[in-house]
Amino acid sequence: QLQLVESGGGLVQPGGSLRLSCTASGFSLNDRAVGWFRQAPEKEREAVYCISKGRLYSNYARSVKGRFTISRDDAKNTVYLQMNDLKPEDTAVYYCAADWDQYAHDCTMETDSGRYIYWGQGTQVTVSS
């Protein structure tokens, strides 16, 4: 069974940190781009960060510049999203997604690109005092 599972969400105060994990089972993330997305209540899903296979390329949303970083551990078949200096506006359900195209050398921040076909169930991040 092909599956992506996110973990690491929770409740954190403004200025705090969380590290989200995205682990695949049934297939390898190592040869695919992976993206992190989020969706707040009554808002559209938006891309947060993405990373290509081999870590050759990454991209991020302007709103997370200098606060979030993405990394991948191929040995653990896992991609991480380190989130620092969290703000209330970061509150959302965070999803990871994997690219179908194993030959792509980049990653896309477009939520409707059609490239991300494997999605996790999401993990809630709430930033509140």
Side-chain angles (χ1 to χ4, degrees):
Q1 183 178 1
L2 308 181
Q3 193 174 13
L4 282 177
V5 177
E6 302 96 337
S7 62
L11 173 63
V12 64
Q13 292 186 344
S17 297
L18 285 173
R19 188 178 77 160
L20 305 184
S21 299
C22 171
T23 301
S25 59
F27 69 107
S28 174
L29 283 180
N30 301 347
D31 53 0
R32 302 173 189 272
V34 174
W36 281 100
F37 300 81
R38 66 187 180 186
Q39 188 165 19
E42 301 183 355
K43 291 189 176 182
E44 293 187 355
R45 185 173 296 184
E46 62 174 349
V48 177
Y49 227 124
C50 72
I51 186 168
S52 69
K53 65 178 182 180
R55 309 174 189 81
L56 298 174
Y57 178 85
S58 64
N59 202 356
Y60 52 85
R62 191 175 303 176
S63 59
V64 307
K65 182 180 180 180
R67 300 188 299 123
F68 292 11
T69 56
I70 196 169
S71 61
R72 59 191 312 157
D73 186 335
D74 291 345
K76 295 183 178 180
N77 209 22
T78 297
V79 173
Y80 302 99
L81 183 68
Q82 178 67 44
M83 306 187 296
N84 299 327
D85 189 23
L86 282 161
K87 303 177 180 181
E89 52 264 42
D90 294 318
T91 295
V93 178
Y94 283 71
Y95 301 88
C96 66
D99 195 339
W100 68 270
D101 188 353
Q102 295 171 270
Y103 298 99
H105 293 280
D106 63 352
C107 64
T108 180
M109 294 286 282
E110 295 182 20
T111 56
D112 298 324
S113 67
R115 285 180 54 176
Y116 295 111
I117 64 170
Y118 305 105
W119 289 83
Q121 82 291 346
T123 185
Q124 176 70 47
V125 171
T126 302
V127 185
S128 175
S129 55

